[in-house]
Amino acid sequence: MRTLEVVRHSLTRKGAESGKASQLSPEGVRLARQLGESLAGVDYVAVGDQPRHLETAIAMGFAVDGQITWPSGYVDGEVRHHDQWTWDEPFVHYAALLADGRRLSEVAQEHLSHWRRILDVVPDGGTGLVVSSGGSIEPVLVAAFPDADHAGWGGPLHQLEGATILLDGGRFTSITLRRRPPVPR
């Protein structure tokens, strides 16, 4: 059995602060550090190709083993940027989109292939960590667990939210979505 922790990147700088050296806000670094301290024994860390992914993993206290250029979950003609925030039940909506077997389904399967390769290098009983973006994680979770109660999964993933997934015998067997308390603005 192996565990995969999947996390959306941390809080980023906004307004005049964006575009400065670090993409993460000071609060984003603090919250990432807290989450990292709660994840023990991570054996392999993979991040997407955006600087906020790398910065989140480092702020969590982990060295990054691999940076992957995976496709966006925002697919022309299927899912626009941040559409998931307008859907009442985003995971149910993603399930319906994936059932159509169009480009989003291909994207989700490509992500799953990366996740499986990451878990292939994790020792038995070990843990891998993926840091990515919202809109990319949600459809992949649905693809990994197509028969789950997606209505019970709630809204889209906010920063530093994600899932703990168990892989046993080459099959994804269990998922626990990880939510965090709202951050005061």
Side-chain angles (χ1 to χ4, degrees):
M1 182 162 324
R2 292 172 177 88
T3 302
L4 183 65
E5 297 288 348
V6 181
V7 176
R8 182 177 176 199
H9 66 82
S10 194
L11 300 170
T12 56
R13 295 178 186 264
K14 303 293 181 207
E17 292 296 307
S18 67
K20 293 194 175 179
S22 174
Q23 286 195 355
L24 297 188
S25 68
E27 181 72 355
V29 170
R30 186 184 68 75
L31 292 170
R33 185 174 297 128
Q34 285 178 350
L35 177 59
E37 290 170 358
S38 74
L39 299 176
V42 173
D43 300 292
Y44 189 90
V45 178
V47 299
D49 60 353
Q50 297 179 22
R52 62 183 178 239
H53 302 157
L54 179 67
E55 290 180 26
T56 297
I58 292 169
M60 291 173 72
F62 299 113
V64 173
D65 299 295
Q67 195 166 22
I68 301 169
T69 302
W70 40 52
S72 172
Y74 300 124
V75 177
D76 286 341
E78 294 179 59
V79 182
R80 290 185 322 264
H81 190 254
H82 289 170
D83 263 357
Q84 73 271 25
W85 295 103
T86 66
W87 301 333
D88 290 333
E89 295 181 311
F91 292 101
V92 171
H93 198 92
Y94 277 121
L97 289 171
L98 291 171
D100 286 344
R102 295 173 52 202
R103 177 70 182 131
L104 181 62
S105 181
E106 293 172 12
V107 166
Q109 290 306 314
E110 184 173 338
H111 278 264
L112 278 178
S113 294
H114 286 294
W115 291 8
R116 287 182 184 284
R117 279 193 291 282
I118 291 161
L119 287 167
D120 284 346
V121 299
V122 171
D124 193 38
T127 300
L129 170 66
V130 166
V131 180
S132 188
S133 290
S136 291
I137 297 171
E138 293 94 332
V140 184
L141 294 175
V142 172
F145 295 92
D147 299 323
D149 174 18
H150 301 122
W153 287 6
L157 299 174
H158 290 85
Q159 285 85 358
L160 293 178
E161 293 184 337
T164 302
I165 300 170
L166 299 181
L167 181 86
D168 192 8
R171 287 188 30 217
F172 292 111
T173 58
S174 171
I175 182 170
T176 304
L177 266 66
R178 184 179 43 268
R179 303 295 184 158
R180 64 174 178 75
V183 176
R185 299 274 175 183

